[in-house]
Amino acid sequence: MEMSVTAGGPGMSAHRQRSVKRRRWGGLRQQWKLLGLFEIDQEHEFYSLTCMMKEGLAAAIQSTVDNAPTNELSDDDFTLEVTQIHKDFTMETFAGPVFASLRGSLGMTEQEYQQSLCSENCYLQFISNSKSKADFFLTNDKRFFLKTQNKREIKFLLANLKIYMEHLRKYPHSLLVKFLGVHRIQIPRRRKKYFIVMQSVFYPDDRIHARYDIKGCEVSRWTEPAPEGSQIIVVLKDLNFEGQFITLDQQRPWLLRQVEIDTHFLRRLNVLDYSLLLAHQPLHHDERHQGLSFATLIMRTKKSVNPGSSPVHASVAAVPGAVLEDDSTLPLSETDSGLKLPHVRGASSCGSLQTCREHARPGSDTAELPDFKTQNRRLLPNLKNPLHVIDGPEQRYFIGIIDIFTVYSFKKRLEHLWKRLRHPSRSFSTVSPQTYCLRLCQWVQDHTK
């Protein structure tokens, strides 16, 4: 055998190389086949679990419908746990009134929430190129994500739920992912599963051209794109985006400011490794050149200030999203942040809202506009997912901040030291929350115009 291999010479070597390439390509094709959305039908391994999740969610949401939460959220609401026993499983719902309040502030009725999560249509399983060990499910209409989480992550979210809600109250147009429910399902002879329900940043996704997961660094931040013309969904990363820009023109100052506000909040929570989700699709000709009538302007302004588009604390009555006078959590100033971020002035959103204030009749809703500059509000688009959609001159962008559960623990500090040794001259994700925050802000500043 040794002689025959040697006798093959360069020809055999070339044959081997071709074989290795074929195996690699075959493996890559198999990997691609496992990326994207798959309907969870009766043959799927998660069919039984998702049926139970639907049944449990239907009962949990119905309980909210039958016992509508009061306007005032109490401290007990944030620690409330409700257990409902079903035939084959038990479902626990955490802080139900708080999440119901948030759903209402987003303009979402409990009936439509229930219809989307509990319809007869199968859930979709989303398999991504992420390193996460979590299971991802999507409602059939792709409006809501359901994601399994470990107990530590759930405890972290519930422990910080009050300040998360406060942040959304102070900054109603925040880009942070909107958590809509936290649950635990217990099936006999199986481990308990915790899962969260979130609003999808990429909704509606009918025309989305490309999706990115951005962390502002370079180590392990390249993903092999799907073959051209493929229907496979691949979430690309930082290095895939190099050479491109988020072109917003007048809305750029708003985005820079909001990313700074949200990442500063996450820095206060001592978290890192969160992602800026980004997707884009080309605007149709009529979307690029549509005239903004006064009636449309009034409608969009109301959408931008009323409870149906602004996540606010339910106890705030007069003006949704009003800011308390004690604003101790204002984000970094230009000096503190190390970034020269432009202020929101001359932006179309502010100008348009001011125009509406000037033309509003006394006593009308728009006459009581909140301080939109302090809260960094913008003129929201008249779309289904306005808080995460921003239109530029040529492209529509979907932008949100997700995965906010990784605390800078002792283990992460050790990981940081190890990566510094392994990648001495390259940027990686495991850095201090302050560095992570500033670096992501800098990435957005460098990649927008």
Side-chain angles (χ1 to χ4, degrees), residues 207 282-291 391-396:
R207 291 159 42 209
L283 289 173
H284 286 157
H285 179 79
D286 59 335
E287 293 172 326
R288 290 200 304 269
H289 302 287
Q290 60 183 340
D391 283 354
E394 303 289 332
Q395 297 279 332
R396 173 165 294 161

Side-chain angles (χ1 to χ4, degrees), residues 36-93:
L37 294 174
F38 301 87
E39 193 170 76
I40 303 178
D41 57 19
Q42 294 184 17
E43 305 300 318
H44 197 286
E45 62 173 320
F46 287 129
Y47 180 74
S48 176
L49 172 63
T50 54
C51 284
M52 292 181 194
M53 291 168 75
K54 281 186 184 182
E55 183 183 336
L57 287 167
I61 300 167
Q62 190 59 46
S63 176
T64 306
V65 172
D66 297 337
N67 305 284
T70 60
N71 288 334
E72 286 278 347
L73 285 176
S74 67
D75 289 343
D76 291 340
D77 290 327
F78 285 87
T79 58
L80 183 65
E81 298 180 20
V82 175
T83 302
Q84 293 175 304
I85 300 173
H86 299 263
K87 181 182 177 183
D88 299 314
F89 66 96
T90 300
M91 175 83 91
E92 289 175 86
T93 299

Side-chain angles (χ1 to χ4, degrees), residues 252-268:
R252 179 176 182 260
W254 177 86
L255 177 65
L256 295 178
R257 178 66 171 152
Q258 193 57 54
V259 170
E260 187 189 29
I261 289 169
D262 288 334
T263 55
H264 179 74
F265 169 72
L266 296 176
R267 189 181 93 170
R268 285 177 52 219

Side-chain angles (χ1 to χ4, degrees), residues 108-326:
M108 194 182 303
T109 68
E110 292 300 283
Q111 287 78 9
E112 67 177 306
Y113 181 63
Q114 186 181 52
Q115 174 60 33
S116 182
L117 283 170
C118 311
S119 74
E120 294 180 358
N121 298 319
C122 296
Y123 280 174
L124 306 172
Q125 183 185 17
F126 177 58
I127 301 179
S128 74
N129 45 326
S130 165
K131 294 180 181 179
S132 172
K133 296 179 181 178
D135 296 315
F136 296 86
F137 306 121
L138 225 64
T139 54
N140 200 269
D141 60 7
K142 301 181 185 177
R143 187 174 180 182
F144 302 113
F145 253 106
L146 297 91
K147 180 184 178 184
T148 59
Q149 304 277 174
N150 63 41
K151 186 176 181 180
R152 183 200 62 78
E153 292 166 333
I154 293 296
K155 286 180 69 174
F156 177 79
L157 172 58
L158 294 175
N160 292 287
L161 183 56
K162 191 173 288 188
I163 56 175
Y164 167 78
M165 291 289 287
E166 178 69 5
H167 179 77
L168 296 186
R169 186 192 65 76
K170 286 188 173 184
Y171 304 104
H173 296 176
S174 168
L175 294 170
L176 292 182
V177 61
K178 307 305 182 290
F179 298 112
L180 304 177
V182 176
H183 307 271
R184 179 172 63 193
I185 187 168
Q186 172 69 67
I187 303 169
R189 296 179 298 282
R190 293 194 203 175
R191 292 183 64 182
K192 296 177 181 177
K193 272 190 182 291
Y194 291 89
F195 68 94
I196 57 176
V197 183
M198 302 173 285
Q199 190 171 24
S200 174
V201 172
F202 299 154
Y203 175 79
D205 72 340
D206 307 342
R207 291 159 42 209
I208 286 180
H209 183 261
R211 299 166 173 82
Y212 297 87
D213 178 302
I214 303 296
K215 292 182 183 290
C217 58
E218 55 184 330
V219 172
S220 300
R221 301 306 297 165
W222 165 266
T223 292
E224 194 67 34
E228 192 170 344
S230 170
Q231 296 300 309
I232 295 164
I233 296 175
V234 175
V235 180
L236 303 172
K237 297 181 181 178
D238 302 60
L239 296 180
N240 298 95
F241 195 80
E242 284 308 303
Q244 302 181 66
F245 289 91
I246 304 168
T247 305
L248 296 175
D249 283 356
Q250 289 183 319
Q251 295 213 62
R252 179 176 182 260
W254 177 86
L255 177 65
L256 295 178
R257 178 66 171 152
Q258 193 57 54
V259 170
E260 187 189 29
I261 289 169
D262 288 334
T263 55
H264 179 74
F265 169 72
L266 296 176
R267 189 181 93 170
R268 285 177 52 219
L269 292 183
N270 199 37
V271 300
L272 67 155
D273 215 25
Y274 42 89
S275 296
L276 183 79
L277 273 191
L278 169 66
H280 60 82
Q281 66 186 38
L283 289 173
H284 286 157
H285 179 79
D286 59 335
E287 293 172 326
R288 290 200 304 269
H289 302 287
Q290 60 183 340
L292 191 61
S293 68
F294 183 67
T296 303
L297 187 58
I298 289 291
M299 179 177 65
R300 287 179 59 185
T301 302
K302 286 186 176 182
K303 190 183 192 75
S304 302
V305 300
N306 71 18
S309 65
S310 304
V312 296
H313 198 292
S315 63
V316 179
V319 180
V323 179
L324 295 178
E325 290 184 3
D326 177 20

